Amino acid sequence: MMDNRGGAETIRPVAELFTASSAFWATTYSLDLTLFNEFFLPRLGEPPINVVILADGRRLDATLARIPGERVDSLALVNRRWLLRGVRPSAQAFHAKSYLGIARGVAPIRWTGNRLAFPK
Amino acid sequence: MATQSADLDAVETFSPVPRWIASTIEIKEGRDPLGLQTTTQDRLMPVLIPGILEGSRRGRYFSFHAFLLDEYRQKQMRPDPKSLGLFIRRREWDLGLAIQRCPNHCGSGPVGARGLGSSAIGPGPFARGESVESPFGGYGLYYRSPMAAFGIVAKTGTLLGNDPIPIDVLYATERASSLVEGFRSAVRDTAYYRKWMWTEEDLPAAVVDEYAAVACLCRLRERGAERDAVHDALFGSDTTGVQSGIQPNGDKPTDPESNVTFSDEAVRQRRRSVAHYLTLVDAVPEVVNSDGGYREAIWSATKALNDAHSRVAGQWAALVAKDVWQEAICSVWSALCQAGLSHTRRLGRGLTWDETRQMAESLVDGAPRLNPDEPTSGLVSALAAGTLRLPSNGAPELKVSDASMEELRHQTAGLNTAPAGVILLLELARRAGERSGMGWEQACRAASSWQPSLAEVLAGLRSHLDRDPTVKETIWWLVSRFIIPVHERISYSKLHANPPEFTFRFRWEDGLLRFYDNGVGRFPLASIRHGSLASLTWDLGLWEIPSKGDRPAVLTGRGMAFVAETFK
């Protein structure tokens, strides 16, 4: 998935990180739940997959609070197909951004970078 | 320690070098953001007129492509799809040159016209080329699936015994042979066929002009045997079965790609739809050159010749009604996208659920301006009483009850507002309530994977009106049921394309509905075969342009006989 831009190599994190995996662990500040459920999770392949995401607790509370009753079904997979936990490091925000993808039979730390969401 | 060191040595190491991030996702507007065109393209058209695509417009391409496949087989050229595709694209280019130099100056558009450009102008010689950048050229795009559906072509992968065939071939039937001989007999004596078709040299003008005189698309009408062969390809069956010669074990032919396969019922349905079209030409000749006239004639056709005609007329009327529904919801969609993008920009964030509802309800503030708190039943009553009018940009107001369905559809699309969409839907429901019949009901039940059928929409509207909603509640009902959840589901499905496509106009993000500047305009109606029906039936000599009078079309004796035979 690498190509070349102006002499410098490029990388496509979504294509490279979110491929058929046996496990995927991530830490993040914010998390787009619908995007993860509808786009990222299916790219990881069929169950069983060990998927764990640790997100900033306060930010996660705010996100969940804003989801209207009419859209509660968008949470159906959370903590059923994959594990989500809020992290509250005392008075600070949880800003660690790291992704660990374990492809079938291989276990590299694949990426550290931005949040699990479309860019603004 | 020694063991640990050995383990570490075995680990593959690399030097991390910073790299630029490249986007995985392509941003696109998306052609069918609410999943309504697919109802027409994938559900209705294959049933109403199986085997006729919008691009399969010219009858002579059927005999031309059959001729090419036969020549390829006779010359025993390489049996692989790539070589066959190249062979076809190059001969389509040559025919394109000839069509552009037609001595009748018929103005026919060949496949690959864009690539040809002005290549055929001047004294020549003319460079060779390929028609269309597609594996099988125009054949693959417009004629291959139809010819398979007609039982003329066995596509790559069709089983011959237990083995799939490597390339497309013709079935060994009289219908296929007649098609081949029809074209071959026209070009047999040309220098092009005898020599130049098999070279890669530039074509002299004299060669192209000689070829044009016999091979142009416009010549089919005057070549009786070839025209009859094309007619028989579209509307005939093989007495010995389409599999003769290609399926020695007698298995049913299986088309590996298309869901439209040869069947006697498909032939009958194609005949009925074409014959119905001819009755429309007879009643309203403008249908041959006016898309609006075509739609209105389909909707308002009343005089059926028998039950079969009544059934097919009902099917086509329901198709037009589905498009009216599409225009109605498209008006609400377009207004919602514009307002949503404006709100998102002003607030600097997405909208909460309540804000989204308020914004949708405020869409009543468009032409014609409606009272948001007025009961929708008031609009229903006004429509029934014939007192409601639609404004227009520059043109006189349209009295809804007196306007044709096509006028209303066209006016609503021009207004591009949510109130106009609501009025169109209510009027459609009123007029649809007067319709019945097997064909109408069957086509009204056609749904897509994304949207309910027209029958379900109208039933849902009746239930909604039973709750005595206000106009703003009706708009919200449309937005929350047929627009927001549907568009999100469709757009998420596009993210799973390869490469992933971002087609969102809006999506729920972090609990807020965020609108994107990714197109706010209307989306078009899908083709309902206006162009292909008009040109194919002309090519087959089923109607003509009269030399006297101002009628644009009149049925020929052949056309009248076809109608009578189909609906006898």
Side-chain angles (χ1 to χ4, degrees), chain B residues 164-344:
Chain B
I165 56 174
I167 57 169
D168 289 11
V169 294
L170 298 170
Y171 284 110
T173 63
E174 199 174 319
R175 284 193 309 139
S177 308
S178 301
L179 210 50
V180 172
E181 286 311 313
F183 192 85
R184 183 179 286 134
S185 65
V187 302
R188 190 190 313 274
D189 297 329
T190 61
Y192 175 78
Y193 177 60
R194 283 186 275 112
K195 173 187 172 186
W196 298 87
M197 181 173 171
W198 312 106
T199 74
E200 295 182 10
E201 300 167 44
D202 290 356
L203 288 172
V207 170
V208 177
D209 290 345
E210 183 197 29
Y211 186 44
V214 293
C216 184
L217 306 179
C218 66
R219 293 300 169 110
L220 181 64
R221 283 173 64 95
E222 62 204 45
R223 294 187 49 78
E226 186 181 347
R227 183 198 59 204
D228 289 348
V230 174
H231 185 106
D232 205 28
L234 268 75
F235 305 118
S237 300
D238 302 293
T239 50
T240 54
V242 295
Q243 64 271 44
S244 66
I246 193 71
Q247 299 237 320
N249 61 359
D251 290 346
K252 285 282 182 191
T254 53
D255 183 337
E257 295 171 29
S258 169
N259 58 0
V260 178
T261 50
F262 179 85
S263 74
D264 289 333
E265 175 49 29
V267 175
R268 285 193 290 272
Q269 175 67 29
R270 194 156 51 241
R271 288 185 69 97
R272 286 192 292 264
S273 283
V274 171
H276 176 53
Y277 173 77
L278 293 174
T279 64
L280 301 180
V281 173
D282 193 36
V284 189
E286 291 73 22
V287 301
V288 299
N289 51 24
S290 161
D291 187 63
Y294 172 64
R295 288 180 178 278
E296 180 54 32
I298 291 172
W299 170 258
S300 56
T302 53
K303 202 176 76 176
L305 297 171
N306 65 7
D307 287 348
H309 188 196
S310 175
R311 190 161 62 246
V312 75
Q315 291 174 330
W316 282 84
L319 170 71
V320 166
K322 177 259 148 193
D323 276 353
V324 172
W325 152 239
Q326 178 175 324
E327 292 284 36
I329 197 69
C330 181
S331 296
V332 183
W333 150 269
S334 180
L336 180 81
C337 289
Q338 290 175 49
L341 191 57
S342 169
H343 276 67
T344 297

Side-chain angles (χ1 to χ4, degrees), chain B residues 8-32:
Chain B
L8 286 173
D9 288 344
V11 173
E12 189 183 343
T13 59
F14 66 98
S15 303
V17 177
R19 286 184 278 171
W20 291 106
I21 288 179
S23 174
T24 304
I25 297 170
E26 291 183 5
I27 298 177
K28 290 190 172 178
E29 195 170 323
R31 288 180 298 180
D32 191 15

Side-chain angles (χ1 to χ4, degrees), chain A residues 2 5 8-15 32 34-35 38-39 42-43 59 63 66 68 70-71 111 118-120, chain B residues 18-25 352-353 484 488 492 495-497 500 502 504 507-512 514 516:
Chain A
M2 267 195 289
R5 193 170 62 177
E9 286 186 338
T10 58
I11 184 170
R12 299 176 191 276
V14 170
D32 188 329
T34 312
L35 182 68
E38 298 287 342
F39 177 50
R43 289 181 67 95
R59 174 75 183 195
T63 297
R66 273 207 289 243
E70 292 83 352
R71 290 186 46 78
W111 184 253
F118 283 129
K120 293 285 182 188
Chain B
R19 286 184 278 171
W20 291 106
I21 288 179
S23 174
T24 304
I25 297 170
T352 65
W353 181 266
I484 290 179
E488 267 209 302
Y492 275 117
L495 282 176
H496 296 295
F502 182 98
F504 289 96
R507 60 181 286 270
W508 290 99
E509 181 182 300
D510 219 6
L512 301 173
R514 180 182 171 201
Y516 296 89

